[in-house]
Amino acid sequence: MLLKISNKIDQLINSMKLFDVYPLNDITIVKAEGSYVWDDTNQKYLDLYGGHAVISIGHTHPHYVKRLEDQLHKVGFYSNSIKIPLQIELAEKLGKVSGKEEYQLFLCNSGAEANENALKLASFYNGRKKIITFKKGFHGRTSLAVAVTDNPNIVAPVNQTDNVIFLPFNDEQSLENAFAQNDISSVIVEGIQGVGGINVASNAFLQKIRSLCDQYNAVFIADSVQCGYGRSGKFYAHDYSGVNADIYTMAKGMGNGFPVGAISISPKIQPKHFMLGTTFGGNHLACAAAMAVLEIIEQDELMKNAEVVGNYLITALKKLPHIKEVRGVGLMIGIELPEELKMVKRNLLYNHKIFTGEAKPNVIRLLPALNISTVEADIFLAALTKELNDI
Ligand SMILES: Cc1ncc(COP(=O)(O)O)c(C=O)c1O
């Protein structure tokens, strides 16, 4: 009893050392492999969350581990003041796997940073200030990225700006009106809104953004930080619309856990020295991690797997009782439950040992590794079926 109390006090003191910005699950992960993680009591969990869509090729993938280890023995870091051939290799590989071979690469460290650079680059390109963004969109927490994010709670007064126009998602008419009335620099849009609850952009909507950006010489920024990198079954979720964006922003799945982000830039936008820059972006280790990910995506045909297992899951989920709606494409799936079933996500974790993501108001988000198997999908389906049937 006394030991328990003193453990609790220790925990409390330790927790006060960290700036408390997240509610935490009381779980400590000490080991991970493929689509599984283990806690410090050796309890195994199925991971359908991937640390927020980050684990793309599975935890501790042997090729990834070897690539990083080998690189660390050569050179871990040097700045962008010297040539880094790995960056060119990465740009070529990304161009090939994404099908945008004529695009140029700028490397950074996170999703917010990628969006920040994209919005800035667009403004450099056409000299304008106004940005169109959408309701329920999430683009990160740095100054412009958070200003174009639809969540007033995370926008500090210093981030507020009149340069941002929020429009309803998938509404072509309001887009046309906004372009007609403002001098638009760029439009930033997720192909599938993640934090906003898995809302898929319609093809017609993305095509309309393309044609208006062409008409007004504005820049189409495809935020692919969460929905990109093969997760939808295509490299960029926006590819389903058949039109190209001017800038694709990416991070999360790009490094399978190593912090790396990037923007892929159409040849219509030309660089000038010092318009963008970074200390850590594109360092040797980050490039090695990103190369390993692309090599496995290509070699193991993970986009195909995302499509096949994604369809398998979505079809099965649509047959289950009590679910309000199943949304998504490939391995980016939202399961909207009625308010009275909000304990299901927690039960999946604590009763069935399955990690899933969430979105407001009551959406279970599946963001597994792209090489998840149907066997693992079945484990989840059985657990969810049991939860729903037990109601
Ligand atoms: C669509 C989207 N854009 C940008 C970001 C920000 O990425 P990061 O947390 O790496 O800055 C996120 C993070 O969840 C995201 O989902």
Side-chain angles (χ1 to χ4, degrees):
M1 180 66 177
L2 270 177
L3 189 69
K4 259 192 166 170
I5 293 170
S6 103
N7 279 348
K8 270 267 167 275
I9 292 171
D10 275 355
Q11 274 175 19
L12 209 72
I13 291 169
N14 286 338
S15 73
M16 278 159 64
K17 299 215 189 292
L18 295 177
F19 200 57
D20 185 13
V21 293
Y22 286 119
L24 301 179
N25 291 310
D26 189 12
I27 295 172
T28 304
I29 292 173
V30 294
K31 191 173 96 175
E33 191 183 320
S35 286
Y36 292 94
V37 296
W38 286 259
D39 72 12
D40 51 1
T41 67
N42 211 24
Q43 174 64 56
K44 185 178 178 182
Y45 298 80
L46 175 62
D47 183 12
L48 302 186
Y49 169 58
H52 212 80
V54 165
I55 300 303
S56 47
I57 59 168
H59 291 280
T60 57
H61 191 289
H63 177 67
Y64 173 82
V65 172
K66 180 161 187 340
R67 260 269 195 187
L68 274 167
E69 247 175 33
D70 288 351
Q71 188 57 49
L72 203 48
H73 286 294
K74 293 182 201 155
V75 49
F77 173 82
Y78 205 82
S79 83
N80 284 300
S81 61
I82 44 110
K83 287 185 179 168
I84 303 180
L86 261 175
Q87 293 181 348
I88 299 168
E89 259 180 66
L90 177 58
E92 275 167 3
K93 190 75 165 177
L94 179 75
K96 180 163 172 256
V97 179
S98 68
K100 317 268 181 240
E101 292 192 72
E102 70 283 20
Y103 281 50
Q104 294 188 310
L105 187 64
F106 175 76
L107 288 154
C108 54
N109 310 286
S110 68
E113 219 189 305
N115 286 331
E116 199 78 30
N117 279 295
L119 293 162
K120 192 165 147 183
L121 189 55
S123 177
F124 272 132
Y125 167 75
N126 52 26
R128 303 183 198 146
K129 294 181 179 173
K130 296 273 182 206
I131 303 164
I132 292 180
T133 184
F134 300 99
K135 297 264 193 246
K136 294 200 179 171
F138 184 91
H139 301 289
R141 292 168 182 275
T142 57
S143 58
L144 258 185
V146 83
V148 296
T149 288
D150 183 24
N151 181 354
N153 295 333
I154 62 169
V155 179
V158 73
N159 304 130
Q160 283 160 9
T161 159
D162 293 336
N163 290 327
V164 178
I165 300 165
F166 282 91
L167 297 181
F169 192 58
N170 277 338
D171 181 340
E172 294 164 50
Q173 189 57 55
S174 65
L175 256 181
E176 285 199 7
N177 298 345
F179 265 95
Q181 288 159 18
N182 299 276
D183 213 10
I184 300 298
S185 174
S186 59
V187 180
I188 184 163
V189 62
E190 293 162 84
I192 306 167
Q193 291 184 328
V195 176
I198 312 293
N199 308 307
V200 182
S202 75
N203 291 340
F205 182 59
L206 296 176
Q207 288 157 6
K208 177 61 81 180
I209 293 175
R210 177 69 277 163
S211 69
L212 288 166
C213 284
D214 285 341
Q215 186 183 340
Y216 291 92
N217 195 31
V219 176
F220 178 173
I221 301 170
D223 183 337
S224 303
V225 170
Q226 187 167 152
C227 60
Y229 247 76
R231 176 157 298 285
S232 70
K234 292 199 186 286
F235 195 80
Y236 299 119
H238 307 72
D239 287 344
Y240 280 99
S241 69
V243 294
N244 282 332
D246 298 311
I247 305 178
Y248 294 89
T249 65
M250 61 207 80
K252 294 198 187 287
M254 185 174 189
N256 201 47
F258 197 97
V260 50
I263 58 178
S264 181
I265 307 153
S266 118
K268 98 174 196 193
I269 302 173
Q270 286 300 308
K272 278 197 209 116
H273 277 177
F274 308 118
M275 72 200 304
L276 305 179
T278 165
T279 297
F280 293 116
N283 69 71
H284 296 73
L285 272 180
C287 288
M291 281 297 288
V293 168
L294 287 175
E295 282 158 357
I296 296 301
I297 287 183
E298 197 178 31
Q299 178 195 303
D300 294 354
E301 298 185 30
L302 295 193
M303 288 192 257
K304 185 83 212 146
N305 193 62
E307 184 190 340
V308 171
V309 182
N311 283 341
Y312 178 79
L313 271 165
I314 290 169
T315 310
L317 286 166
K318 286 191 169 164
K319 293 184 188 144
L320 295 186
H322 308 302
I323 293 176
K324 265 170 101 176
E325 196 179 12
V326 179
R327 297 188 290 270
V329 186
L331 290 174
M332 187 158 174
I333 302 171
I335 306 159
E336 182 162 354
L337 295 172
E339 175 59 22
E340 63 273 19
L341 297 188
K342 68 170 190 272
M343 69 303 199
V344 169
K345 181 185 178 300
R346 204 183 146 75
N347 290 352
L348 284 169
L349 179 58
Y350 288 102
N351 300 345
H352 301 273
K353 311 299 175 195
I354 300 175
F355 274 101
T356 58
E358 70 183 323
K360 299 277 179 295
N362 198 17
V363 180
I364 293 178
R365 254 195 301 172
L366 302 184
L367 302 161
L370 306 184
N371 47 11
I372 184 187
S373 65
T374 48
V375 173
E376 287 149 353
D378 281 339
I379 295 172
F380 167 71
L381 289 168
L384 182 63
T385 307
K386 178 162 184 348
E387 280 301 315
L388 295 175
N389 283 341
D390 281 357
I391 288 157

